[in-house]
Amino acid sequence: MDFIQINVHCDPPFREILIAEMGELDFETFMDTEVGFEAYIQEELFSHPALQTLFNRYRKQTRIWYELKKIPKENWNEEWEKNYDPIAVGDQIYVRATFHEAKPQVPYEIIINPQMSFGTGHHETTHQLLALQLTVDHKGKKVLDVGSGTGILAIMAAKLGAISVAATDIDDWCIENALENFGLNNIEPAFVKQGTIHELRLSESYEIILANINTHVLLDEMEEYNKLLSPEGHLFLSGFYNTDKARIMEKATSLGLKEVKSTTEKNWVALVLEKVE
């Protein structure tokens, strides 16, 4: 399986807008650059006409220039390592790769090897959710990470004391990658399953559910999350823009979920909801 890399040059105010729009076109991994950003997508999912249509909508508002190239899957880590720097979430969380120096003084250290999976901690959605996880007690709780990508949020949950962590994703390389990252962090997950939440038909309940995906999927799947969520349980959501928060909250409220806390970074929203009985 090969991937397409798009190197986008654009004015800074439009970087996050274009990233959000490209997320709707099945691009899954993004990296900021000095001139804009890089985006990656499976070759079989890539539609050049759809990308051109998207960029043409914004060309009257901003300068956009891009170049693309094919990257074999086996070369992904080499490309990633050229751009990847470790990140800190406050002074509590440190996310690094195996080739970075450890920081044992930081309370929560997470080791990630992404392999084309979304969730390195660099994107605003992941960064915010990691910070929000610190605000909710995970000790002794069962946690489900839906659309887990690298598994970073489930790994964080385990490090915060969750008694059980499980992960799902629709992509086979995400399943493979999450399992690798659990191993790198010495965590044994309850399961890592491939499929949508509708397809998997899970029956266990969870005190905490994490879903960092996109607006359309969250709206489509939120009812399923709610069915799996224990009374007074917490649902963490991100992957949507500030302009979509009202739609997300309308759906959440209709299911008996109330907002506990939310944060916004570069117009990306992260949200903690509680199930009210």
Side-chain angles (χ1 to χ4, degrees), residues 216-275:
H216 297 308
V217 172
L218 294 178
L219 291 173
D220 177 62
E221 296 186 348
M222 204 184 308
E223 189 169 351
E224 293 298 320
Y225 307 157
N226 193 50
K227 290 177 183 176
L228 297 171
L229 192 63
S230 300
E232 300 182 356
H234 291 90
L235 175 61
F236 290 70
L237 301 178
S238 195
F240 58 94
Y241 225 39
N242 196 38
T243 52
D244 291 319
K245 184 183 177 183
R247 295 167 63 198
I248 295 290
M249 282 307 307
E250 181 180 7
K251 181 70 173 181
T253 302
S254 73
L255 295 172
L257 298 163
K258 71 173 183 179
E259 180 179 336
V260 175
K261 188 171 184 179
S262 69
T263 59
T264 303
E265 189 174 331
K266 292 185 179 179
N267 286 322
W268 290 100
V269 178
L271 185 63
V272 183
L273 303 167
E274 183 177 5
K275 187 171 184 176

Side-chain angles (χ1 to χ4, degrees), residues 16 24 32 38 48 69 103 115 123 131 154 162 169 184 188 202 204 214 224 241 244 258-259 265 271-272:
E16 297 304 322
E24 301 296 329
D32 287 343
E38 293 175 356
H48 201 178
K69 66 179 178 179
K103 287 191 175 181
Q115 291 188 1
H123 195 271
D169 205 288
L184 288 173
E188 183 67 36
L202 303 178
E204 293 186 60
N214 63 53
E224 293 298 320
Y241 225 39
D244 291 319
K258 71 173 183 179
E259 180 179 336
E265 189 174 331
L271 185 63
V272 183

Side-chain angles (χ1 to χ4, degrees), residues 41-97:
I41 187 173
Q42 293 181 64
E43 184 179 25
E44 62 187 29
L45 297 177
F46 177 56
S47 169
H48 201 178
L51 183 69
Q52 290 178 317
T53 298
L54 167 62
F55 286 163
N56 286 339
R57 290 208 308 267
Y58 286 95
R59 279 201 166 99
K60 292 182 180 179
Q61 304 174 57
T62 184
R63 296 170 296 172
I64 300 177
W65 178 83
Y66 70 96
E67 57 185 347
L68 57 87
K69 66 179 178 179
K70 183 187 294 188
I71 298 178
K73 182 180 180 181
E74 58 267 22
N75 292 346
W76 161 243
N77 278 2
E78 179 183 347
E79 291 291 325
W80 171 74
E81 287 180 15
K82 294 176 184 176
N83 299 284
Y84 184 76
D85 293 318
I87 68 157
V89 181
D91 59 359
Q92 296 292 299
I93 305 171
Y94 180 62
V95 184
R96 68 175 179 89

Side-chain angles (χ1 to χ4, degrees), residues 179-191:
L179 286 168
E180 178 186 6
N181 291 330
F182 281 126
L184 288 173
N185 291 274
N186 298 312
I187 294 166
E188 183 67 36
F191 63 77

